[in-house]
């Protein structure tokens, strides 16, 4: 399935010892992956640690990588698992924390912006960011994997370890909750 995926081919080259292939993968995915982790973890101090752990796992598991799905699906499954590990370790699985927009801007590469970043500018973007923070973790993950990771519903299911119908429901509920929250917060 992932054999025609250029990123999968890069990962296979990296597993075979081509360090430049890893550099290309990192350059391609670092911005969106960092934003996914930042918005999932919601803790500026922990984001870099989780981000590094994710890439460490990519490095550690390079020789066992098999292109059974798109590389991005495999990468975001690792990222999702790293985020879940963070939540378990910190004991804050359900705790809501405010986003630190200054930390996002300082740590993220400004030359690499994602689709959600364009929307998060201005007053309506602040309302969306606040609504996104209020989503249950599973729904927020599905939404961010779709928007930041560019994953399909099937790939979201693979990345989060659920069937495609569950992933589809989580994404649908996330979108519905975001629409409702934005409608309620809209200035009159």
């Amino acid at each position: 399935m992932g054999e025609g995926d250029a990123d999968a081919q890069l990962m296979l080259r990296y597993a075979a010892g081509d360090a430049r292939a890893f550099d290309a993968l990192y350059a391609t995915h670092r911005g969106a992956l960092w934003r996914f982790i930042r918005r999932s973890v919601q803790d500026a101090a922990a984001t870099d640690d989780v981000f590094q752990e994710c890439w460490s796992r990519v490095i550690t598991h390079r020789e066992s990588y098999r292109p059974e799905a798109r590389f991005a699906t495999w990468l975001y499954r690792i990222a999702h698992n790293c985020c879940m590990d963070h939540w378990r370790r910190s004991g804050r699985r359900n705790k809501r924390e405010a986003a630190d927009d200054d930390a996002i801007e300082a740590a993220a590469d400004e030359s690499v912006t994602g689709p959600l970043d364009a929307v998060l500018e201005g007053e309506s973007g602040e309302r969306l960011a606040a609504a996104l923070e209020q989503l249950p973790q599973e729904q927020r993950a599905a939404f961010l994997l779709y928007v930041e990771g560019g994953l399909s519903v099937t790939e979201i299911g693979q990345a989060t370890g659920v069937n495609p119908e569950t992933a589809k429901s989580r994404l649908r509920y996330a979108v519905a909750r975001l629409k409702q929250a934005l409608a309620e917060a809209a200035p009159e």
Side-chain angles (χ1 to χ4, degrees):
M1 175 180 235
E3 292 175 4
D5 178 10
D7 289 339
Q9 296 306 312
L10 285 170
M11 186 61 189
L12 291 171
R13 285 183 25 217
Y14 173 57
D18 182 354
R20 290 180 303 180
F22 176 81
D23 293 341
L25 286 170
Y26 183 81
T28 299
H29 294 282
R30 73 172 182 236
L33 184 68
W34 191 93
R35 288 187 302 274
F36 168 76
I37 291 169
R38 175 66 181 97
R39 291 183 178 117
S40 296
V41 172
Q42 297 182 321
D43 180 342
T47 297
D48 288 334
D49 292 338
V50 174
F51 181 77
Q52 290 302 322
E53 175 63 22
C54 180
W55 285 109
S56 293
R57 289 184 189 182
V58 168
I59 292 167
T60 301
H61 297 290
R62 69 185 175 272
E63 293 176 4
S64 63
Y65 173 75
R66 300 292 174 264
E68 296 167 358
R70 280 193 325 137
F71 171 78
T73 305
W74 183 74
L75 177 64
Y76 281 92
R77 177 164 186 112
I78 291 171
H80 175 75
N81 290 341
C82 288
C83 291
M84 294 299 101
D85 290 347
H86 163 75
W87 285 96
R88 281 187 214 101
R89 279 192 311 270
S90 67
R92 298 184 313 200
R93 183 166 170 81
N94 293 317
K95 184 176 180 182
R96 302 283 185 228
E97 296 180 18
D100 182 346
D101 293 332
D102 293 334
I104 291 172
E105 289 179 21
D109 181 357
E110 291 183 23
S111 66
V112 182
T113 60
L116 193 55
D117 288 327
V119 175
L120 289 176
E121 293 180 15
E123 184 181 330
S124 61
E126 291 171 10
R127 290 193 311 268
L128 177 59
L132 191 57
E133 289 175 23
Q134 297 305 312
L135 288 177
Q137 178 61 29
E138 294 82 8
Q139 292 175 15
R140 183 174 44 249
F143 181 78
L144 292 173
L145 287 168
Y146 183 77
V147 174
E148 292 288 4
L151 301 186
S152 69
V153 170
T154 300
E155 292 168 331
I156 292 169
Q158 291 170 345
T160 58
V162 298
N163 68 49
E165 286 304 313
T166 300
K168 185 177 182 179
S169 292
R170 288 177 178 174
L171 184 57
R172 186 177 63 242
Y173 285 127
V175 170
R177 281 183 163 189
L178 289 171
K179 284 181 180 179
Q180 179 182 2
L182 290 174
E184 290 172 358
E188 297 187 23

